[in-house]
Amino acid sequence: MGKGRPRAVERGGGLGQVSATNGSMNITPAPVYYPTEEEFKDPLEFIYKIRPEAESFGICKIIPPKSWKPPFALDLDRFSFPTKTQAIHQLQARPASCDSKTFELEYNRFLETHCGGRKPRRKVVFEGEELDLCKLFNAAKRFGGYDKVAKAKKWGEVFRFVRPKSKISECAKHVLAQLYLEHLYDYEEYYNELNNGKSKGCKQEMNNDRKRDQKSDPSSSKKRQKGDSGEAVKVSKPKKQEERDQICEQCKSGLHEEVMLLCDRCNKGWHIYCLSPPLDAIPPGNWYCLECLNSDKDSFGFVPGKCLLLEAFRKIADRTKRKWFGSASCSRMQFEKKFWEIVEGSLGEVEVMYGSDLDTSVYGSGFPRSDDKRPESIDAEVWNKYCSSPWNLNNLPKLKGSMLRAVHHSIAGVMVPWLYMGMLFSAFCWHFEDHCFYSMNYHHWGEPKCWYSVPGSEASAFEKVMRNCLPDLFDAQPDLLFQLITMLNPSVLQENGVPVYSVLQEPGNFVITFPRSYHGGFNLGLNCAEAVNFAPADWLPHGGFGSELYKLYHKPAVLSHEELLCVAVKIGCDAKVAPYMNKELRRVFSKEKIWREQLWKKGLVKTSVMSPRKHPDYVGTEEDPTCIICQQYLYLSAVVCRCRPSTFVCLEHWERLCECNPRKRSLLYRHSLAELDELLAMTENLCSNENPRRNVLPRQNLCSINSGTLTKKVKGKQVSFAQLAEEWLLSSCKIFQLPFSSSAYAIALKEAQQFLWAGHEMDPVRDVMRNLVQAKDWAERIRKSLSAVERWSENGGTDVDKVHLEHINNLLKHDPVPCNEPGHLKLKEYAEAASLLVQEIKNVLTKSTFSMDELENLFNQTSNFPIYIRESEELAKKISSLKVWLDSVKKCVQEKSPAAIDIDFLNHLKAQMLELQLDVPENEKLLELIGRAELCQVQCKETLKGPMTLEKLELLVHEFEALVVNIPELKLLQQYYSDTISWLSRFNNILPDINVREDQENVVEELRCIQKDGTELRVQVDELARVEVELSKACCREKALKVRRHKDAIGFVQQVLSEAALLQIEREELFVSLSNTVATAVSWEERAAYILASESKLEDFEDAIRTSEDIFVILPSLPAVKDAVSAAYCWLESSKPFLQTSAPNTSDPNDSLVFEDLKELVSQSKFLKVKLAEIEFIENLMKKCEQWKRCACSSLNDAMELLNRKDVFNRLHSDVILDIEQLRAKLVSVANAGHSLGFLFPEVSRLWNAASTLKWCSKVLIFRFEPPSLEDVENLTEEMKDLPTGEIGAFVFTSLIDAVSWLKKASEVLSVSTLSSTEGIRRCHLKDAENIVMKSQHMVVSFPAINVQLEQAIKKHMLWQEEVRSFFNDDSSNRSWSLLLQLKELGKGSFDCLELDMIMSEFETIENWKRQGEEVVGCSASDVSTLFSSLLKIKQSLHRSLYIYEKSRCSKVRYFCIGCSSNSDDQDYHLKCLIPKSAVSNGTKEYICPYCVLVDSGSICRSKDSPLRYKGKRPELERLVELSSDAKKFTARLEESDLLQEILDQALSCRDCLSGIVDSALSFFDKDVSSISGKLTIALKGLDVAGVHDSIAIRKFDQALARNSWRIRASKLVEGPQKPVMQQVQRHLKEGSAINVTSDSGSLELDKVFELITEGENLPIHFEKELKLLRTRSVLYCICRKPYDQRSMIACDECDEWYHFDCVNVISPPDIYFCPACKPQMEGKMPVSPTIKQERSQSAKDNEPQTPSPRHAESRWRPKKRKPSKKRKTFIEVDRSLLWSNGFDKLLWSNKKPFRRTVKKRTELGSLSPFFVLQQ
């Protein structure tokens, strides 16, 4: 054994192109071993020796001795295998298989929850295409998130994940980074905080949102609760037991809802302990299952490829290698560098083929096997040597010392090797072996393999690095390392401190991988390798770890580790294996003991033993149940509950089984702890050479239950396990002494169940329990037997079965008796009496003779005895036989008729007489009769043996004529005698006149009959010879007479003459004349005979016919000659059609020839005497036809056999279709061949019919796994109608007809479910589809694809129904229009139901509303704009309008219209620059916009071509209000509805702004109108920009504009350069009065007004009317400080101040009103005292000018002063345009009455009104 550098092996492998240098990529090489011939004999022993060193590397290479060169057992020319396509560029650098919809759902929830309800954009565009944010997020997560990607400048790698086929540019990387920063950065922080458990504030917010959700939607199926830690957890809503419908997808249980985790997308549930891997607690935030996280579209795996021959695979491999490296020699480092560049994704897309995991039991092994056929090129001795070699991978798992020897079944890849056909870069990804087995890989031939390995001790570090480097892949697939589809560069592992070792495997090398060592690698070219697992004893602890790993990830195990361990101990092991088995068995035992004790403590006391195995010495003979939680085999123990009797769990998950009380559950165990302890003892005995008894004490300490610690509370006190057992023993021992009670025994046995699973300390319990069971069984059987005996005695034997004596004796043989059962003594008395009766029967039957009465008396005694005695049957049979025999004998003796008794019956009676030994008188009579019969029979037999004469026969017949016995021989002799007498009489009657009779024909016939009858006689008669002579003479005379009367053939005449000569009558005259007649034609006959015998030509026959005309004798050969010529001509005429088929001008056969005619021609040709050349051609043609007919019949038989096969549908689908297509092609070929022959074969039509039938069958079978369309099925149905009826009775055809009928119904259902509801197609109901699915289960032919579609359609329909119900039951905020459209589209494929009507009704209502809205906003059918875009355009116009109003408040009116040259912000609007180019080119210094020109000119006609005028239809505001009102009735939430509401809000805001300007203009009376003109200009622009037509506001604006225009024109008229004439002034005043323009200019100051009033009062003339008007006009009211202007006003009940309704937000007058200044005092219950009120009033009098009190109230309203009533109603306007903030209210009202009211112009006071509006 040595270690060193690998050396080349002298086998073909192509190492000439690979440099086997170590140290590539700075990876340490693993050790290489060179075993000697001696070391190489035992593989497991050698591996055991090198393990201490090699295991630390995880892998090693073994180079066998030079003498070990196994032949390759497969035929390389014929070897074919399936391949898989590997995308090498995606082994590492691939995006996770994420589901974008799930990501979008979670992302939108994040935006709504944590970003203030911000809605995401509909689509993020990157490089002209929509950007998948899910892929972008996962790609950044792969490289550590945004910060790390930006720092390391890896946006190029991220770009490759997002757009793998696009070209990377710096601009693209920058844009991608900006898009990530804008859309995903906040989400990344939230995601990281949530996963790291640091987002407490975020969670609190989530909790608040969830609580609000719970309050708003109490019917939700999911709810959030707070756990102990205060974090948000999610559990399913508790339901009643009978209403539980949420079940776990893993264990199919709806129990334990408090730990049921629901997916936030698909709403499916999983228990947290059923997940793989399981969770300790419910995670915070939203949770999605793997099905929703992963997308089938992006899922990665090795795609199955074609099945290739090795030569085709070699060509592909060579082409791949030339593509990458050409023909140059490359080093290993070059191969590795290129491979890892491809894996990391830097060289683009690379796909290769790999023939991996080829089961050698199917495709063959590269090693010789005894069951395989030996190739001729391999010597038999070499073949046998390597068949039995221990290094043969087929033998390795079953070697001595291997734990897998106990496995009964062959596990592919584990027990049965797998073959691997590799090419360049085909890879095997990082993994460790199933169940942590060892693996051995042998390189048969080809290029090397490069291996990488991480030792098992570093497996955890390896997994940690993998998870850190590929976080997105592990998030999507937590069990990624189980799937063998992922690679990671070893250099990355080394950088993170994980040791990696490398091996280059060359042909003839073995590579060993050790347990739990991760390994992977790739092929350097075309090669063939074979691998298998094995498990020496040191594997056991690793196998235990693998078993625990399977349990953690809930993966089904390859085999049961506990079963393997126990069976291996039972079948025996040596001292080297025993320590490992002892250690592992101790671990398993301790774990089992701990869990059984815990279950006992928890109250689980019911136990039972599992059913024993039929073959306990092998693993896997019977499949154990598996735990529904962890999927592991339950070999040692399991827990079951009577509520779920077919469901099992392991001991660790016993609480997850159900919610029943533990006492209702049962522990099932295969071995008690005592039995497991015995297995431990077996291993310990092997571990030590000392006395095994020394190990009993420590083992007992381990295995026994400590009675002081194992306690539980029973009836309020702590009781130990041992105490309970002792109590049970005491109570059970007392039971044996007491009289037997079945219930007491049953209770004791039930109580003993809780002790039987324990160790040896419970052996006394087991012993007592066995005694209890035996005693209980014995006592119950005693009672049952005694009861049966007594019942039989009481009932007299009616309908009651007797108890057998043997059964009673077995019960009574117990000494001492098992228990105290008094009934056994009484039963013993019955048994003794029965024994005496048995002895009496035996005595009688053993006598030599006995009487009938004696037997009958004894039988009556046994019949009346209550116990069944087996000997009574023999007695009854004896009596019955005697009675039957006596009756038969009496009948025979008394018989008188001859031959009435059969001789065999007499012999039978004689045999019975000897057997029965009965002494009666009939015996002598019977013997006498038999003696006479036997004498007769002997004489008759002797007569029959020899020749019989008539005299002897006559004497014998008369002697035994009266015998009563029927002797067959005598009867036969009597018949012979009668026949002979009759024959002699007939012959004697014909002799007297035979010579004189003329009717010689009758004479001949009579003589022949006599002769025939005489030959059949058995009796010898002399007259028979004379009959023959007379017959011959009569025949000859008959022929002579015929010849004399008629001309006859010469041959016949010669025959008659010959017969006459023999009979010596030839000289008679008759015969002499005949001789002369023949002489003349002899010569001609000789010639004719010659030509007929030699088959001469046609000319010879014609010459013979011409010469025969001169001969006047009927020549025998002449007709033959003529017939031959005639037949030849006739045959030639008939063969003309067949001879023409070979003519060269015949192009197309006409199918007019009949084969039977050809056959007849050939048959006729055999009888032709003429030699013809055409005969040979016709015979060849017939051979062709017959050969074709045989082929046609064979093909038709094959077709019928195929159509009648019962198992045709049990075969592989592809094989059946291939067979049918091949047979159909054969039928078509044969039919074409038959057509080409030109014959009208009936088989041709049958062939075409069979071919069409098979074609139809093939079409039907294709649709089993390829779902057809309805059109295809209808075509099949139509074709079926045209099919021939010959195969109707065939099994396959009949089955397929039924299948097509079913398929049509199913396709109609599926097609209807996929059509639009507007197509007028009648939908089917769900029940119809379910019935079709149920019917498919009873059909011979199944259509899995259609069934899957039907089941999916049903499931989809049911899911759709749930979604519809959820939609209508959900919160209105979640019922979006898009979701309704989605449900409507999904509903197209649903069945007829109420939910569909609801969806369609809602959809049609909304669609009608949208059409109405499009009519309102002006969207035509030809217009591409939608309602939403039109509303958005209107909203933008209103936004611009509001912008104009708001800008006007902070800008100077006159300069507001100047065009700007600066760019505006994207988030804001600005006015369009209105300066025309002509004005700029002319150097115009000042530009006045058209709106200012319009207003300043005094015109009242607004232009329709204004620059800012809204382009498009302007809908009426009232119509929009109606639309909004209608939209509130919808179930679904519409974006258009929300947008419409925003438009209404903006329109009302614009109305308020316009109303402020209009009110200011209408109340303005100053002379200078420039400020009002500017405001009206702003209003005019706002109206033109707005996309809504507010008729009410426009009407008021037009009035204000008309008044302002009147004032401007009046000012121009008065202040113009020319004085106006009186007519112009009057006309203008008339126009002013028409538009209600007030003549008060208001230019006089208040102090001047008061002086004017005083002056008027002092005048001698009374100006009452004018003074009253002046006083009224000088009073200032309200907070706006304006004079009375006809607007409605209200007075405060506290301070008597008057206020305008609109200024104090009053809509209608209340009963009692307090102004806002007085209201705070009233609300605070602080009434103003008279003193304070007087002081305030006095202060106001002292500091303010006196103004007259208002006297007129016709347009004002003052409420009555009364106490406030609780029933009083107050009306508050909720319009935001009329509300002020509290701070502003207080400031305004605190300054309502200043200490000194300054005298100001009313125009200045009026200018404050817009200020109030601005504060809104």
Side-chain angles (χ1 to χ4, degrees), residues 1026-1044:
R1026 187 178 175 186
V1027 172
E1028 293 178 358
V1029 173
E1030 292 298 331
L1031 177 61
S1032 299
K1033 291 179 179 180
C1035 290
C1036 187
R1037 293 189 187 97
E1038 180 187 9
K1039 293 176 182 177
L1041 289 173
K1042 287 181 180 180
V1043 170
R1044 190 178 62 182

Side-chain angles (χ1 to χ4, degrees), residues 12-14 72 79 81 310 313-314 317-318 353-355 358 419-426 428 441-451 505-507 522-530:
F72 191 67
F79 181 48
F81 52 90
L310 180 59
F313 187 77
R314 185 192 302 275
D318 294 343
M353 303 179 76
Y354 194 14
L358 303 177
L419 207 62
Y420 296 87
M421 304 299 300
M423 66 166 58
L424 180 64
F425 296 147
S426 58
F428 45 102
N441 186 292
Y442 180 73
H443 195 311
H444 284 289
W445 51 263
E447 304 289 343
K449 281 179 177 286
C450 183
W451 293 72
Q505 185 187 18
E506 298 170 316
F522 68 98
N523 298 294
L524 275 61
L526 177 67
N527 58 29
C528 175
E530 193 167 345

Side-chain angles (χ1 to χ4, degrees), residues 549-712:
L549 193 64
Y550 283 136
K551 178 176 290 188
L552 174 63
Y553 281 91
H554 295 179
K555 296 288 183 183
V558 177
L559 47 80
S560 174
H561 183 71
E562 292 81 1
E563 182 180 9
L564 178 65
L565 185 63
C566 294
V567 172
V569 175
K570 292 177 183 177
I571 63 177
C573 57
D574 54 19
K576 185 185 297 183
V577 176
Y580 298 99
M581 300 182 71
N582 179 266
K583 182 178 179 181
E584 184 63 16
L585 192 57
R586 278 178 178 270
R587 184 189 68 81
V588 172
F589 178 88
S590 299
K591 178 181 176 183
E592 189 72 16
K593 174 175 174 292
I594 290 172
W595 277 108
R596 290 189 186 183
E597 291 176 357
Q598 289 187 10
L599 263 61
W600 181 82
K601 289 181 180 179
K602 296 293 184 179
L604 203 152
V605 296
K606 291 183 180 180
T607 63
S608 61
V609 182
M610 296 180 180
S611 58
R613 293 191 181 279
K614 297 180 180 178
H615 304 284
D617 294 337
Y618 290 98
V619 177
T621 56
E622 301 174 28
E623 187 171 355
D624 290 313
T626 57
C627 175
I628 61 172
I629 306 299
C630 61
Q631 304 297 309
Q632 300 308 298
Y633 288 113
L634 303 176
Y635 173 74
L636 283 180
S637 57
V639 177
V640 68
C641 183
R642 59 190 180 189
C643 69
R644 304 175 70 187
S646 60
T647 305
F648 305 88
V649 294
C650 62
L651 303 190
E652 296 182 28
H653 297 118
W654 73 276
E655 294 180 316
R656 311 303 185 189
L657 176 62
C658 62
E659 295 178 345
C660 300
N661 190 288
R663 291 187 173 275
K664 294 183 180 180
R665 308 178 202 182
S666 298
L667 169 67
L668 306 179
Y669 63 92
R670 191 174 304 279
H671 300 295
S672 65
L673 295 183
E675 294 171 342
L676 293 177
D677 184 47
E678 293 173 358
L679 295 179
L680 268 174
M682 295 170 60
T683 59
E684 290 178 359
N685 292 339
L686 293 172
C687 293
S688 175
N689 294 327
E690 299 178 359
N691 190 346
R693 295 181 180 178
R694 297 183 180 179
N695 294 327
V696 172
L697 183 57
R699 180 165 50 81
Q700 190 70 19
N701 292 336
L702 172 68
C703 304
S704 299
I705 298 175
N706 191 339
S707 59
T709 58
L710 185 57
T711 61
K712 67 177 181 180

Side-chain angles (χ1 to χ4, degrees), residues 162 752 872 967 1094 1228 1300 1306 1376:
V162 177
S872 63
I967 299 175
S1094 60
V1228 172
V1300 169
S1376 63

